[in-house]
Amino acid sequence: MPSTKTQIAGFPFENCLMNAAGVACMTIAELEEVRLSQAGTFVTKTATLEARAGNPEPRYQDVPLGSINSMGLPNQGLDYYLDYLLELQEKEPNQTFFLSLVGLSQEETHRLLKQVEESEFKGLTELNLSCPNVPGKPQIAYDFETTETILKEVFSYFTKPLGIKLPPYFDMVHFDQAAAIFNQFPLAFVNCVNSIGNGLYIEDESVVIRPKNGFGGIGGEYIKPTALANVHAFYQRLKPEIQIIGTGGVLTGRDAFEHILCGASMVQVGTTLHKEGVAAFERITAELKVIMAEKGYESLDDFRGKLQYIEG
């Protein structure tokens, strides 16, 4: 039977599928549900220093080809997730999990990362540079100068495995510029992509979410081509030791297969997980294994990054 085992930064995972930050990860109960499912691991809700209620509801809506949300970084605060992960580390020493975080200012980001650095946490940390739904706050990763400054400062003290969550880029020059920055640093991974920022969905004559007059991040089927393009563009440009997590539009095993074909080492499920629950992991894994068996692939390494082009 084909294997969907993978590894990130040398940490092994039994399955390449996991949740996307923001889905099934706000509470310990939700994280436990993902942990006990067919998922290979989980990532926590992006944590800020203090707990946040987030934007007013309704702030998330399932729509026919995906979802729209303007959550506003609701979370329980860093201590809540870090304490849980440290307990889990004692209980399950052979399992590795992802801790997602971002500050509401550069100073806060450094406070968060220094707390993780000084803790006993042995997993993978994800710095979210792509939160598109906090009113008045731009996405950090679209400001290349700020991104480079933050990463320089972070790696002056942070020694644990660190990756970054990215928004989608849409221009070849931006892929080049971003990769040139990321390649300067010992990043463990980049995660492509967060939702496409500031879409608008209308039913009858009204928007469907309250914050920002209905503007929100778009996820699901809508974004798969953009996600695949970002995964492959960075696979082509980043040094081999920076791995890629593919996120966006994963409804089926075929979608997961395409993310890996484009270069992803791990694949996150967001909107589909929200719609279906954790049973989605078992279904998508089974569908992925069927495709691999049909093609004679025994492991993800057999086809990762081997996207074919039309010559001539």
Side-chain angles (χ1 to χ4, degrees):
M1 181 60 113
S3 168
T4 57
K5 288 182 179 180
T6 192
Q7 63 86 27
I8 299 281
F11 294 104
F13 300 95
E14 284 297 308
N15 192 4
C16 63
L17 297 180
M18 61 183 290
N19 67 306
V23 185
C25 59
M26 175 77 84
T27 65
I28 288 170
E30 289 177 322
L31 290 164
E32 279 291 288
E33 201 177 355
V34 176
R35 184 176 75 85
L36 298 171
S37 74
Q38 291 294 305
T41 183
F42 64 64
V43 59
T44 62
K45 184 80 179 72
T46 298
T48 48
L49 205 54
E50 306 294 337
R52 282 174 57 87
N55 292 340
E57 295 182 341
R59 58 193 185 184
Y60 178 99
Q61 179 73 35
D62 286 328
V63 297
L65 293 177
S67 61
I68 183 169
N69 86 86
S70 182
M71 301 298 287
L73 274 178
N75 74 93
Q76 309 281 354
L78 178 64
D79 288 346
Y80 176 89
Y81 301 107
L82 192 52
D83 289 349
Y84 164 59
L85 288 168
L86 292 173
E87 279 180 36
L88 203 50
Q89 218 167 252
E90 293 294 310
K91 196 166 75 173
E92 301 286 352
N94 296 323
Q95 287 187 289
T96 304
F97 302 98
F98 289 74
L99 171 65
S100 180
L101 54 80
V102 71
L104 297 176
S105 65
Q106 288 187 44
E107 179 196 14
E108 187 177 303
T109 293
H110 291 306
R111 284 182 66 189
L112 289 161
L113 286 168
K114 283 175 179 172
Q115 186 175 334
V116 176
E117 173 71 15
E118 290 161 13
S119 76
E120 294 297 312
F121 179 60
K122 295 183 172 68
L124 291 143
T125 304
E126 177 179 271
L127 174 59
N128 186 347
L129 298 180
S130 64
C131 187
N133 297 314
V134 177
K137 300 280 185 184
Q139 294 199 49
I140 298 165
Y142 285 150
D143 181 338
F144 291 138
E145 196 175 323
T146 299
T147 297
E148 186 169 7
T149 299
I150 288 172
L151 291 176
K152 267 184 186 159
E153 291 170 354
V154 165
F155 282 110
S156 71
Y157 62 83
F158 199 82
T159 61
K160 296 179 178 184
L162 179 74
I164 49 177
K165 178 77 173 278
L166 298 174
Y169 296 103
F170 302 98
D171 195 300
M172 290 299 189
V173 171
H174 293 155
F175 290 132
D176 293 340
Q177 291 172 330
I181 292 167
F182 303 151
N183 280 331
Q184 296 174 42
F185 301 101
L187 288 164
F189 65 89
V190 298
N191 186 344
C192 308
V193 295
N194 208 330
S195 54
I196 296 177
N198 295 317
L200 198 60
Y201 191 86
I202 298 166
E203 284 181 353
D204 192 15
E205 296 181 2
S206 173
V207 300
V208 296
I209 56 173
R210 186 185 302 273
K212 294 170 33 180
N213 291 328
F215 284 75
I218 302 296
E221 287 180 74
Y222 297 109
I223 78 166
K224 188 178 81 166
T226 299
L228 293 177
N230 277 258
V231 168
H232 197 57
F234 283 114
Y235 183 77
Q236 292 171 309
R237 289 166 174 78
L238 293 178
K239 57 190 181 183
E241 51 268 41
I242 303 178
Q243 292 176 274
I244 297 167
I245 297 175
T247 307
V250 179
L251 282 74
T252 67
R254 175 70 203 186
D255 300 325
F257 178 82
E258 290 176 9
H259 269 276
I260 297 158
L261 192 67
C262 286
S265 292
M266 201 139 203
V267 178
Q268 293 188 345
V269 185
T271 297
T272 298
L273 176 59
H274 186 273
K275 290 183 175 183
E276 274 185 46
V278 295
F281 292 120
E282 188 172 0
R283 175 184 61 76
I284 295 168
T285 303
E287 291 169 358
L288 173 58
K289 286 182 174 179
V290 166
I291 294 167
M292 290 172 66
E294 285 172 352
K295 294 180 174 293
Y297 297 142
E298 293 178 5
S299 73
L300 305 188
D301 290 338
D302 291 343
F303 65 100
R304 180 184 297 107
K306 295 181 180 174
L307 182 64
Q308 297 172 26
Y309 310 127
I310 299 170
E311 301 295 334

